[in-house]
C-alpha cells in the first residue's frame, strides 16, 4: 500500500465511457496516474478545472485526512475492505448537471437519504484513522463563516459538510462567473448527457491517496457486498 500525504474515501465511476469522458474533461486519470488531453469543447478546460483536476473525478464520501499517529496505510486498507463487506450498494435514478455555489457538478436524482446514510457510516467508521486537525487546517475551513452546527461537525469529524450537512456531488469546474458559467453549463450538459449512468449506482468504496505533488490517485476499489 502506497504511503501518501492524505487519504480519502471517494466514489469514482467504474471503467467505461462515463469515467473516460469525465477523466478527460478534468485532464487527470486518477486510476493510472496520467494526465489527459481535455476534449475540444470550446471551453478553457485547463483554466476552469484547476481545483477538481488534482483530486480526480470523484464524489466524496469521507473527505481527505492525514493518518493518525500509530496508524498506517495497510491497516486503513484492511479497515475499508471490512467496512465495504458489510455495506450495501446504493442505487438512484440518475445524475444531472447543477450549479453549486458557482461551480458546476453532477448531482444525484431521487431520494438521496440512502447515499447520505452510506457516507455518514463511512465517515464515522473510519474516523479512528484520522489525525486531529492542526490550527492551520482549521483556519483554512474559515470557521467564522460556518454555521454553529458546521463548526461542531468540523470539530467532531474534521470537516464541516458531513452527516446531515453532506451533499453528494461530482465536481466538474472551479467557481465560474457569468457569462462563462452559463456557457459551460450548456456545453457540459450536452457533452455528458449521452454517458450519464441511469440508474446511478454506488457499488464500491474507492481509497484515494494524495501524493507529494498534491495529485490524488485511486489506490484500491472495495466492492459493497453487504
Amino acid at each position: 500500500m502506497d504511503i501518501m500525504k492524505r487519504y480519502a474515501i471517494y466514489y469514482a465511476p467504474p471503467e467505461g465511457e462515463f469515467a473516460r469522458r469525465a477523466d478527460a474533461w478534468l485532464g487527470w486519470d486518477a486510476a493510472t496516474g496520467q494526465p489527459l488531453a481535455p476534449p475540444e469543447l470550446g471551453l478553457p478546460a485547463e483554466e476552469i478545472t484547476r481545483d477538481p483536476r488534482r483530486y480526480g473525478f470523484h464524489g466524496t464520501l469521507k473527505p481527505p485526512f492525514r493518518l493518525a499517529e500509530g496508524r498506517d496505510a495497510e491497516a486503513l486498507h484492511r479497515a475499508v475492505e471490512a467496512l465495504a463487506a458489510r455495506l450495501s450498494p446504493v442505487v438512484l435514478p440518475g445524475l444531472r448537471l447543477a450549479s453549486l455555489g458557482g461551480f458546476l457538478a453532477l448531482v444525484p436524482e431521487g431520494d438521496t437519504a440512502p447515499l447520505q446514510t452510506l457516507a455518514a457510516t463511512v465517515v464515522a467508521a473510519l474516523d479512528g484513522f484520522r489525525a486531529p486537525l492542526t490550527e492551520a487546517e482549521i483556519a483554512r475551513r474559515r470557521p467564522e463563516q460556518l454555521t454553529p452546527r458546521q463548526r461542531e461537525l468540523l470539530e467532531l469529524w474534521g470537516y464541516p459538510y458531513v452527516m446531515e450537512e453532506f451533499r453528494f456531488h461530482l465536481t466538474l469546474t472551479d467557481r465560474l462567473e457569468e457569462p462563462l458559467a452559463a456557457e459551460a453549463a450548456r456545453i457540459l450538459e450536452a457533452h455528458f448527457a449521452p454517458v450519464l449512468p441511469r440508474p446511478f449506482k454506488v457499488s464500491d468504496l474507492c481509497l484515494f491517496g494524495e501524493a507529494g505533488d498534491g495529485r490524488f490517485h485511486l489506490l484500491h476499489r472495495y466492492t459493497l457486498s453487504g
Side-chain angles (χ1 to χ4, degrees), residues 77-160:
H77 159 67
R78 292 194 300 269
V80 181
E81 184 176 46
L83 178 62
R86 65 180 180 84
L87 295 176
S88 300
V90 173
V91 181
L92 295 168
L95 295 170
R96 62 178 178 84
L97 188 74
S99 178
L100 305 176
F103 65 89
L104 297 176
L106 298 171
V107 299
E109 300 172 336
D111 179 9
T112 60
L115 186 51
Q116 190 149 351
T117 298
L118 173 67
T121 301
V122 172
V123 166
L126 300 175
D127 201 57
F129 287 90
R130 180 181 61 83
L133 295 180
T134 64
E135 290 299 322
E137 287 170 335
I138 293 172
R140 281 200 292 273
R141 291 296 166 198
R142 299 182 178 179
E144 70 281 358
Q145 298 182 14
L146 301 175
T147 67
R149 178 54 176 160
Q150 289 166 352
R151 289 195 296 271
E152 182 181 21
L153 292 170
L154 178 64
E155 182 178 346
L156 288 172
W157 304 110
Y159 197 70

Side-chain angles (χ1 to χ4, degrees), residues 14-59:
E15 184 177 349
E17 187 55 33
F18 177 45
R20 286 191 289 271
R21 195 166 290 201
D23 290 342
W25 164 248
L26 292 185
W28 176 249
D29 185 336
T32 64
Q34 296 297 319
L36 300 170
E40 295 291 339
L41 299 178
L43 292 170
E46 292 187 359
E47 296 177 20
I48 65 175
T49 61
R50 287 192 177 98
D51 192 47
R53 183 183 311 133
R54 74 184 188 92
Y55 291 90
F57 186 66
H58 76 281

